Amino acid sequence: MDTVLKEWIGRVHDAVETQQTLCIRGGGSKDFYGGNPAGPVLDTTAYRGIVAYEPTELVVVARAGTPLAELEALLAEKGQCLPFEPPHFGAGRATVGGMVAAGLSGPRRAAVGAVRDYVLGVKLIDGKGEWLSFGGQVMKNVAGYDVPRLMAGSLGTLGVVAEVALKVLPVPVAERTLRFALGEAEALKKLNAWGGQPLPIAASAWHDGALTVRLMGARAAVDAAQAALGGEPVADAAAFWQGVRDQTHAFFAGDGPLWRLSVASVTPPLGIPGPTLIEWGGALRWLRGDQGAEQVRSAAARAGGHATLFRGGDAIKASAGVFHPLSPALLRIHANLKRAFDPHGVFNRGRMYPDF
Amino acid sequence: MAFANDVRFTVDQRSILARLQAVLPPDALLSAEEDMRPYECDGLTAYRALPLLVALPQTEAQVQAVLRACHELKVPVVPRGAATGLSGGAMPHEDGVVLSLARFKKILKIDPLSRTALVQPGVRNLAVSEAAAPYGLYYAPDPSSQIACTIGGNVAENSGGVHCLKYGLTVHNVLKVRGFTVEGEAVEFGADALDAPGLDLLALINGSEGLLAVITEVTVKLTPKPELAQVVLAYFDDVQKAGNAVADVIAAGIIPGGLEMMDKAATHAVEPYVKAGYDLDAEAVLLCESDGTPAEVAEEIERMKMVLEKSGATSLVVSQSEAERLRFWAGRKAAFPAVGRITPDYLCMDGTIPRKRLAEMLEAIGDLSVKYGLRCANVFHAGDGNLHPLIMYDANQPGEVERATAFGAEILELSVQLGGTITGEHGVGVEKIDVMAAQFTPAEISAFHRLKAAFDEKGLLNPGKGIPTLARCREYTLTRAQTGSAAAITPPRF
């Protein structure tokens, strides 16, 4: 076993013995996200590198501390990518482990799926210091419960993910971005109507009267879609989508609270005051402003979804928490799962919900 | 064949009968042996057991009442859909109640704008696509049993199909599952949105084989039907060349709508039954499908033909009409029943391996077929490395069951050794419960048990299935060591 892993296992054992907690951290690019976990840092960046990459298998296996940028550069060399476009949030710090733990996906998510849809296998250290391997490197695998997908978005509350196997896909042959002058309600209607047609829509973003739509696929399909949809071609499209993905777009500037509302795509404009940016064909709505948590969360719940205080708003964070409250049944299952993987409560206490 | 379930309960049939009689109408509860006989197995007919009772609730309130009664009296509950499963996951527990969701067969809503369908778990897979068809939409996962299998069962098994390389498995196409915990508490996993707060429990429910919760409603994603689909049949004079051609297609950056393979034994079984028009001289055939706009398909079919020719295909046939495309697929989808016609019994394996090891695996299966003196036809979801070797045997011939079982176990162990898994889509159930020990360490098995207990502390939902007891693991490892199997040693972990 690698000495780094041995050291981590030792630290978990020590933490259990001394009743300490550990704060698992990669590059720290998403330190802002979630609650503030207590305890000394278990830094995953020392355990890095690509373990295996076989383009014909559409699978890459990487250690948790591998910089996400390094992984994506390797895939790009072979014309492949992580289609869910995970955000990096800053210059080169994001790691593969952090990407899985945060479970955040970028602009193409509605079209191609989320991080969890691409996680095929994980190797992890649980809260008793046991080394466990789940899933594998194949697309179809129903032996045992799907622990690898459970790890996506678990914010390090269940274990230290040390190694991840990910499905990858070829970069689409053709790409084009179009822009339409449309109001919010009209844009939402259009996006949902288009979603029901076999169009190669890969991403969408509406903000301030402009709907930007990204087409990706075979050249013929992209050409045909452009002819059918109309709109104005966008020249600096790559920079625009990068800005949405990493939240460097002007909408995200400033320290005010940023809410992330995940709702049914057909939900009409929410009618909450404040600037908004809409992604994922209407299913993801970013909201700026000082609205009360109750107002935002009940609007999201009415729309079949939930609201996360994504950035800022420390006062709201303290009073209402970052993440949408769970139903009593779900909360109990969450607490039980936490105990199943981390019986002594060592990992990332308070990062997701205050209780665990 | 009996399955010795080693998770047993002491249950008083009269008490549970009385409790369920109080909450279910008379026609929703079966207790006579002749009435329960049809429930003694699922699609894996080799394993059978009679339950104590069969409950056929029609409302969520009845499901809840059944669960509360069983939980209180500590009675095992085995949820059941259409029972088309191939691993014995829905086989009854001798000390328990079968909870059939067969009467939950309403399509509650097809919403073309949000491209979702809200259905009860007893709705058949194909019925969802049929109901969505007027809107130009369909439900993408298409297991070969889609005429009969139900959505609840699809979620429980995380079913695949012949198009999941491009369109995903059940887990990728389900937004929300409503159901009940073993205590009878209503619970929702997932959301009408693309994600839900907290841990991704929806991912756990998919493929949980009825061990974590009982499903009463499912919201599935609907996909716009491609304007056109065409399939290329590529024939090869050598199965290994066909195996390598699969990797070549992917390497060329093509993700086919479907990529399937059959060997000669399979096409010979299928052709008289379906008359798909396959070339019977070829050693293997690949079915490689392209879908999209007409222009897109034309472009992709040309690229596919180029790659397949370069990989050594002896001839290529492209479907020229929708009728012809469906006929080509009908042969593949009917492979299991077709093989069923030429042998008294067969075992269907379900291992998945990395694509690049296909040729190696095929060679090994050929050798094992000679070693055990049993015929084997091979059908593969080649695009995702999921193999369905069909081991043919005759249960009435002494020793053949045992030989077929050992043959199958060797294939599954080899799947693990080649970097794959013992089951890609059929589930563990009772059939593969022992072989789980070839893939997971005792520590991992224990973690699975703890995960199960997080949902079901008393272990009442489908007990003895899916995850082996540690005692079973020890026994398997010992037995395989004695019979000299290489895989009896736990696979290397680093």
Side-chain angles (χ1 to χ4, degrees), chain B residues 344-345 393-398 400-401:
Chain B
D345 302 284
Y393 70 100
D394 181 353
N396 290 323
Q397 297 300 318
E400 284 211 2
V401 177

Side-chain angles (χ1 to χ4, degrees), chain B residues 228-266:
Chain B
L228 177 71
Q230 272 186 296
V231 63
V232 186
L233 295 186
Y235 294 102
F236 291 84
D237 57 9
D238 179 280
V239 281
Q240 305 208 13
K241 276 189 205 162
N244 292 330
V246 172
D248 295 341
V249 169
I250 305 289
I254 301 170
I255 304 292
L259 184 52
E260 299 281 313
M261 176 171 167
M262 284 187 280
D263 71 359
K264 197 174 188 173

Side-chain angles (χ1 to χ4, degrees), chain A residues 54 57 133 192 260 262, chain B residues 115 195 200 355-356 421 444:
Chain A
E54 305 250 3
E57 296 296 320
S133 172
N192 281 286
R260 175 193 189 272
S262 180
Chain B
R115 292 142 275 138
D195 46 35
D200 195 340
R355 273 178 291 266
K356 64 176 170 184
T421 174
E444 288 151 4

Side-chain angles (χ1 to χ4, degrees), chain A residues 1-2 5 54-59 80 109-110 113 116-118 123 126 128 130-147 149-150 152-155 157-158 167-170 173 189 191-200 217-221 224 260 262-266 280-281 283-284 303-306 323-330 332-334 336-341 352-353 356, chain B residues 111-115 135-137 157-158 160-161 164-165 169 171-172 174 181 183 185-189 191-204 206-209 211-212 221 224-227 247 250-251 253-255 293 295-296 299 303 350 352-357 381 383-384 386 419-428 436 439-441 443-444 447-455 466-467 493-494:
Chain A
M1 181 181 265
D2 191 281
L5 295 178
E54 305 250 3
T56 63
E57 296 296 320
L58 301 175
V59 173
Q80 298 188 335
R109 190 268 176 256
R116 61 93 95 158
D117 295 311
Y118 290 81
K123 291 183 181 176
D126 75 1
K128 294 195 295 183
E130 299 231 50
W131 175 250
L132 305 170
S133 172
F134 298 104
Q137 299 179 29
V138 290
M139 307 289 154
K140 288 165 86 176
N141 187 351
V142 292
Y145 303 110
D146 202 338
V147 176
R149 291 190 212 285
L150 177 68
S154 64
L155 288 171
T157 56
L158 302 179
K167 177 182 169 176
V168 300
L169 283 180
V173 177
K189 274 189 200 148
L191 285 170
N192 281 286
W194 289 339
Q197 298 166 28
L199 293 164
R219 197 161 301 285
R260 175 193 189 272
S262 180
V263 296
S265 67
V266 290
W280 300 1
L284 184 66
H306 64 102
F323 297 103
H324 206 96
L326 300 169
S327 71
L330 287 183
R332 198 180 61 243
I333 295 170
H334 273 69
N336 290 346
L337 278 172
K338 170 71 176 174
R339 265 196 301 280
F341 282 89
M352 186 186 275
Y353 288 100
F356 53 88
Chain B
D111 183 351
L113 195 59
S114 67
R115 292 142 275 138
Y135 308 103
L137 302 168
E157 302 293 328
N158 190 13
C164 50
L165 178 63
L169 308 162
V171 68
H172 302 111
V174 168
T181 66
E183 295 95 348
E185 190 171 5
V187 64
E188 282 189 359
F189 306 107
D192 294 326
L194 291 177
D195 46 35
L199 298 169
D200 195 340
L201 304 187
L202 184 61
L204 281 184
N206 279 281
S208 60
E209 302 195 19
L211 271 80
L212 301 184
K221 275 194 238 176
K225 214 169 163 48
E227 278 179 67
I250 305 289
I254 301 170
I255 304 292
T293 63
E296 194 178 359
E299 187 182 308
R303 286 175 65 208
D350 180 41
T352 303
I353 56 170
R355 273 178 291 266
K356 64 176 170 184
R357 314 301 287 266
H381 301 299
D384 30 44
N386 186 201
T421 174
I422 59 170
T423 176
E425 57 180 0
H426 294 171
V428 174
M436 283 287 279
Q439 188 167 338
F440 295 101
T441 63
E444 288 151 4
F448 284 143
H449 286 304
R450 289 196 298 275
L451 188 156
K452 153 93 170 159
F455 287 80
I467 311 296
R493 314 303 304 181
F494 300 100

